[in-house]
Amino acid sequence: MIERNPAFDNLAAGYLFPEIGKRRRAYAAAHPEAKIISLGIGNTTEPLTPHIATAMADYAKGLGTVAGYSGYGDDSAGEPALREKIASVLYDGIIKADEVFVSDGAKCDVGRIQQLFGANVSVAVQDPAYPVYVDGSVMVGAAGKTPATEAGYQDIVYMPCLPENNFFPDLSVVKPNSLIYFCSPNNPTGAVATKEQLQQLVDFAKKNGCIIIFDSAYSAFIRDENLPKTIFQIEGAKECALEINSFSKPAGFTGVRLGWSIVPKALKFADGTPVQALWSRLINTFFNGASNIAQAGGLAALDPEGVQEMRQLTDFYLENAALIKKALEGENFRVAGVEVYGQGNAPYLWVRFPGKKSWDMFDKILDECHVVTTPGAGFGPAGESFIRFSSFGHREAVEEACRRLANLKL
Ligand SMILES: *Cc1c(COP(=O)(O)O)cnc(C)c1O
């Protein structure tokens, strides 16, 4: 018999979302009358928009004709027209088309990128963080050489991001030559780093030989014009950062699957090899390009009509977030000293229940309101006492959830 990869033994028990699903199902089984509403998982709910959906349908139809058929793309990095359009429409020319690598999604790229750095790299993550950074690091052996405790893995540097530091971490805890995962707008906190903060991050990375993996999956939700939508707006970022993004959240492509990574030419390993060279080698080995239908959708999404549609779609979710925020600022929450964080630039609200445990609040909200949320502790030790409310939902469901939350006994 073959031994299993020992790296997998080091994963902390259970991924967050299966545990939420388990508790939801157990509750539903015990209370069949409860009409449960989910403000939990960050999955999109609204239909694809017309210009984008039509482009994909037309493309798919074309595939059934001799003239419209295509097989593998010429390049695993994506259709040249889409790479051009991402560079020009979303990066305003700061990034060149040959620095854009189209993918089947941001999560998949996070997983693949970790292979470039192997098992010996030091890792630093924002705490709380999207679980893939930590679990993926454990799977490639870069972390988890000792089992996780309540405080996390000993060989990962957790950078607490709390209201007390305006959700921007103390970078002095990061070891030289680390991979730094940084997500802005942040999932789960909804915080967006300012230009000054990102400049600090970039300066730190350059000075200390670090590479930043910048996850900007929610950049399309930024409404404050002064906030940076990409790390490449920051001086020096091309020498120390790569960026991962996706059509999942702005265009509702969570099921369609399309994303991209920006790997700048100037980004190098210690020996001077361009990171891009290894990245090309890796995707040409493991990845045969994103679906051509999805890429047709991405091209349409970057047409003026598509950009307008994505704006409306993200506006819709931001309006949901504003409704939930209002409910969470109601009398019952205020009297209990509940703190609500959310500046209107992300589809999440991050809410602190002082003195309470996240999972206890999760159970209480499920029990009293029949609303599923996400316990902050599942995103890292600094998430304890917080709950994440997601604004991905149909409007009637969100409104009903808000009415129920007004009656939560705190
Ligand atoms: C949803 C999300 C993604 C997107 O992942 P896809 O694989 O593109 O669907 C990436 N990063 C974060 C932080 C997310 O919340």
Side-chain angles (χ1 to χ4, degrees), residues 108-127:
C108 322
D109 262 2
V110 171
R112 281 188 284 258
I113 276 171
Q114 290 173 326
Q115 298 187 53
L116 297 185
F117 304 97
N120 294 326
V121 74
S122 302
V123 174
V125 295
Q126 284 165 297
D127 178 17

Side-chain angles (χ1 to χ4, degrees), residues 66-381:
V66 172
Y69 179 74
S70 61
Y72 292 127
D74 290 335
D75 191 338
S76 295
E79 288 302 319
L82 181 55
R83 300 176 76 189
E84 283 288 348
K85 216 162 172 178
I86 288 172
S88 62
V89 176
L90 297 175
Y91 292 90
D92 215 3
I94 349 174
I95 288 299
K96 299 276 176 286
D98 61 2
E99 296 173 306
V100 179
F101 295 81
V102 176
S103 73
D104 52 350
K107 195 191 232 183
C108 322
D109 262 2
V110 171
R112 281 188 284 258
I113 276 171
Q114 290 173 326
Q115 298 187 53
L116 297 185
F117 304 97
N120 294 326
V121 74
S122 302
V123 174
V125 295
Q126 284 165 297
D127 178 17
Y130 188 51
V132 187
Y133 314 142
V134 169
D135 287 2
S137 300
V138 173
M139 287 183 190
V140 297
K145 287 167 196 103
T146 53
T149 66
E150 285 263 311
Y153 291 95
Q154 283 170 39
D155 46 10
I156 286 188
V157 170
Y158 292 84
M159 306 181 289
C161 295
L162 291 159
E164 287 69 25
N165 59 9
N166 286 318
F167 298 102
F168 188 77
D170 171 9
L171 297 168
S172 68
V173 298
V174 177
K175 296 180 211 142
N177 311 318
S178 289
L179 267 190
I180 304 175
Y181 288 92
F182 201 95
C183 178
S184 175
N186 191 268
N187 177 10
T189 68
V192 189
T194 63
K195 281 187 186 138
E196 294 70 26
Q197 289 171 333
L198 287 189
Q199 189 69 61
Q200 222 177 303
L201 177 66
V202 164
D203 291 346
F204 177 89
K206 284 186 68 176
K207 195 159 158 232
N208 294 283
C210 298
I211 288 183
I212 302 160
I213 298 185
F214 191 75
D215 184 337
S216 54
Y218 296 97
S219 59
F221 291 86
I222 294 177
R223 291 294 176 273
D224 181 339
E225 296 290 329
N226 296 315
L227 293 171
K229 290 191 160 186
T230 157
I231 195 152
F232 299 114
Q233 280 172 258
I234 307 304
E235 172 101 37
K238 283 184 189 173
E239 289 105 70
C240 65
L242 55 83
E243 179 165 302
I244 296 179
N245 205 327
S246 167
F247 288 96
S248 281
K249 311 297 162 39
F253 273 27
T254 40
V256 172
R257 311 303 306 145
L258 190 70
W260 69 91
S261 289
I262 305 295
V263 184
K265 280 198 260 315
L267 184 65
K268 306 227 164 81
F269 291 105
D271 68 353
T273 328
V275 173
Q276 216 187 59
L278 265 69
W279 183 237
S280 290
R281 185 74 178 82
L282 185 141
I283 59 171
N284 282 311
T285 302
F286 291 124
F287 183 56
N288 260 329
S291 149
N292 49 14
I293 301 172
Q295 293 194 68
L299 276 168
L302 299 176
D303 286 339
E305 298 93 314
V307 169
Q308 170 94 21
E309 288 178 357
M310 288 195 289
R311 175 80 185 196
Q312 285 165 357
L313 196 56
T314 47
D315 275 344
F316 174 85
Y317 292 124
L318 288 170
E319 284 156 24
N320 280 352
L323 291 173
I324 300 166
K325 186 169 192 224
K326 198 158 161 240
L328 296 171
E329 287 170 347
E331 185 68 12
N332 52 338
F333 289 91
R334 202 148 26 87
V335 169
V338 173
E339 302 161 27
V340 184
Y341 299 94
Q343 304 294 318
N345 297 295
Y348 299 116
L349 294 158
W350 186 241
V351 182
R352 177 147 68 183
F353 294 85
K356 301 276 177 27
K357 291 269 186 205
S358 296
W359 278 107
D360 292 345
M361 281 315 301
F362 169 90
D363 286 334
K364 183 177 170 68
I365 296 168
L366 179 58
D367 187 37
E368 288 184 30
C369 305
H370 303 161
V371 170
V372 177
T373 57
T374 313
F379 295 100

